């Protein structure tokens, strides 16, 4: 996964266009390729860190869901509705975290 900043996206696009024009003229500057690779490498490192953070959020959400289910099963009848609502919110957080991880892994 790559995570480009706006400045990196602009710079990479500019370099790509320059490289394309130079390749049409058959005089490609190797500095352009190095700069694009450097931008790609930093974006890949940033993307890996973000993906690891998303996996951690997903694992934490699953732990919270397991705890909410345990609380729901062990509460008294008077507190059952509150525990059920807490479980539903935990399930929603798990779904959101899973969606974010899947989106990050695809992109």
């Amino acid at each position: 996964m790559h995570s480009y900043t706006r400045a990196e996206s602009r710079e990479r696009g500019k370099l790509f266009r320059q490289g394309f024009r130079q390749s049409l003229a058959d005089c490609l500057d190797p500095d352009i390729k190095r700069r694009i690779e450097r931008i790609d490498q930093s974006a890949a490192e940033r993307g890996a860190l973000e993906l690891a953070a998303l996996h951690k959020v997903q694992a934490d959400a699953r732990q919270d869901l397991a705890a909410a289910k345990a609380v729901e099963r062990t509460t008294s009848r008077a507190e059952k509705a509150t525990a059920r609502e807490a479980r539903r919110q935990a399930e929603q957080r798990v779904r959101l975290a899973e969606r974010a991880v899947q989106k990050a892994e695809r992109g």
Side-chain angles (χ1 to χ4, degrees):
M1 175 180 139
H2 289 77
S3 179
Y4 295 99
T5 63
R6 288 183 179 183
E8 287 175 340
S9 294
R10 280 192 307 269
E11 180 69 18
R12 190 178 190 287
K14 185 179 88 172
L15 290 170
F16 178 81
R17 287 187 296 277
Q18 283 179 345
F20 181 74
R21 279 190 231 112
Q22 288 180 3
S23 68
L24 290 177
D26 201 29
C27 60
L28 184 60
D29 184 11
D31 184 49
I32 290 176
K33 187 174 180 180
R34 276 194 304 271
R35 289 169 60 191
I36 288 175
E37 288 173 355
R38 195 171 337 131
I39 291 171
D40 288 345
Q41 182 182 6
S42 66
E45 290 170 1
R46 189 177 313 106
L49 290 173
E50 289 176 8
L51 188 60
L54 284 172
H55 280 292
K56 184 182 179 325
V57 167
Q58 182 183 26
D60 292 345
R62 287 181 178 169
Q63 287 292 329
D64 292 344
L65 176 59
K69 283 182 178 181
V71 168
E72 182 183 9
R73 290 182 184 129
T74 59
T75 58
S76 65
R77 218 169 237 234
E79 300 169 356
K80 200 70 127 172
T82 305
R84 189 178 305 118
E85 184 59 32
R87 177 189 48 85
R88 287 181 182 151
Q89 289 175 357
E91 286 174 343
Q92 180 65 23
R93 285 192 299 273
V94 168
R95 280 193 293 275
L96 290 172
E98 287 175 349
R99 235 180 270 139
V101 168
Q102 289 172 355
K103 184 179 177 183
E105 287 176 342
R106 277 188 308 230

